[in-house]
Amino acid sequence: MKVTVVGAGAVGASCAEYIAIKNFASEVVLVDIKEGFAEGKAMDLMQTASLNGFDTKITGTTGDYSKTAGSDICVITSGIARKPGMSRDELLGINAGIVKSVAASLVEQSPNTIIIVVSNPMDTMTYLVHKATGLPKNRIIGMGGALDSARFKYRLAEALEAPISDVDGMVIGGHSDKGMVPLTRLATRNSVPVSEFLSEERLEQVKQDTKVGGATLTGLLGTSAWYAPGAAVSGLVQAIACDQKKIYPCSALLEGEYGLSDLCIGVPVVLGKNGIEKIVEINLSKEEKAALTSSAEAVKNNNTALTF
Ligand code: NAI
């Protein structure tokens, strides 16, 4: 199993590290545009191998895509990240050019690859990769919901004063502060609806804290987060590499599901060796449906800025 990660920055390197530590891939290739950067990150990570007990071989290259040839899965994290006060949408202009050219180089070397898009604004970048590469829709996946759901579970566990492993919950919709739809109605603590434990006001607070989860960290760190994003990407990569058939909310091309089409947005999908093996349509309440529809309108509006 060969995995390429483009962008050896905060998220790319974190994701490479988690993939290596989970020890399911034979090879991870890091690519960056900054001279020597991916090579340096790869060497540093390889020097953790004997300490962390993994056999995954990590290499780095400054833009030599021939080194990525035959990758089973490619992850795109290249581009700029937001600074405090910025929205993810403000990154569109710069990141669209980067993501488009990176996707083309990856597909040239690995025509059968599955691509995971991370660069923001992620739903729009995922749509761009669909349009620019023409790859089958099951092979292009946007990562956002897995991270947002992890942040939702963190906030739920905090409110419930319960261990995170007892908590389940999912965030669908666009990967943006306004676009996220945390499904509090379906969240559970050991199979019991969380509404049994938390007031409506407290649940609303959990929802709001989840939606601004990225912005809160950007304010604290001065740049966007990397541990949880890297771990979330590694979860998706592992589900595909190990054919786990796990359900994650991912940005997928919709063609009528949830009454939406011609956009990529976060919905629950089954991930296995073919990438997106099924889009799961859950029954949403009227309110949740309206929130998803409004989120989709915002993503579609962003998409109009793209050229293919
Ligand atoms: P970073 O600045 O630490 O790393 C980005 C890397 O991309 C840099 O090393 C840069 O040299 C490289 N790069 C730029 N242009 C390139 C090109 N043409 N080819 C190869 N490499 C290139 O940024 P960070 O924090 O790793 O974030 C990366 C992206 O991921 C950002 O757009 C950020 O907004 C997004 N992100 C998305 C998340 C999600 O849930 N979808 C979560 C966190 C970040």
Side-chain angles (χ1 to χ4, degrees), residues 6-13 31-34 37 41 63 65 76-82 88 91 95 97-99 101-102 117-122 142-145 147-148 151 175 223-226 229-230:
V6 185
V11 176
V31 184
D32 205 281
I33 200 168
K34 246 186 283 173
F37 193 60
K41 287 280 181 106
Y65 280 85
I76 303 179
T77 77
S78 47
I80 55 164
R82 61 181 173 156
R88 295 173 177 92
L91 311 173
N95 284 355
I98 295 173
V99 168
S101 76
V102 164
V117 182
V118 182
S119 309
N120 273 318
M122 181 279 295
M143 193 296 289
L147 169 64
D148 301 332
R151 288 177 172 158
H175 180 59
T223 186
S224 73
W226 56 90

Side-chain angles (χ1 to χ4, degrees), residues 152 169-172 181-187 207 268 282 284 288:
F152 184 36
M170 192 187 286
V171 177
I172 61 170
V181 185
L183 297 174
T184 44
R185 183 181 58 90
L186 301 177
K207 212 168 165 176
I282 45 181
L284 298 178
E288 292 157 354

Side-chain angles (χ1 to χ4, degrees), residues 148-156 169-171 182 184 206 210:
D148 301 332
S149 300
R151 288 177 172 158
F152 184 36
K153 287 181 236 183
Y154 164 77
R155 289 298 184 187
L156 280 169
M170 192 187 286
V171 177
T184 44
V206 165
T210 301

Side-chain angles (χ1 to χ4, degrees), residues 88-198:
R88 295 173 177 92
D89 294 351
E90 289 173 65
L91 311 173
L92 194 150
I94 293 177
N95 284 355
I98 295 173
V99 168
K100 193 173 164 184
S101 76
V102 164
S105 305
L106 290 171
V107 174
E108 197 183 338
Q109 297 295 333
S110 307
N112 299 318
T113 193
I114 290 170
I115 298 182
I116 298 176
V117 182
V118 182
S119 309
N120 273 318
M122 181 279 295
D123 299 289
T124 294
M125 293 302 112
T126 307
Y127 183 73
L128 171 63
V129 173
H130 271 289
K131 289 287 184 187
T133 65
L135 287 183
K137 62 177 190 164
N138 59 302
R139 283 167 45 199
I140 300 173
I141 304 156
M143 193 296 289
L147 169 64
D148 301 332
S149 300
R151 288 177 172 158
F152 184 36
K153 287 181 236 183
Y154 164 77
R155 289 298 184 187
L156 280 169
E158 181 183 57
L160 290 161
E161 297 181 37
I164 292 190
S165 56
D166 272 6
V167 173
D168 202 8
M170 192 187 286
V171 177
I172 61 170
H175 180 59
S176 67
D177 296 5
K178 288 192 186 129
M180 282 177 218
V181 185
L183 297 174
T184 44
R185 183 181 58 90
L186 301 177
T188 58
R189 173 183 183 176
N190 267 345
S191 307
V192 181
V194 293
S195 55
E196 293 291 327
F197 306 97
L198 300 173

Side-chain angles (χ1 to χ4, degrees), residues 233-253:
V233 178
S234 77
L236 267 51
V237 172
Q238 187 173 22
I240 299 164
C242 303
D243 196 23
Q244 288 176 326
K245 318 284 188 202
K246 272 200 173 196
I247 292 183
Y248 280 104
C250 292
S251 193
L253 186 73

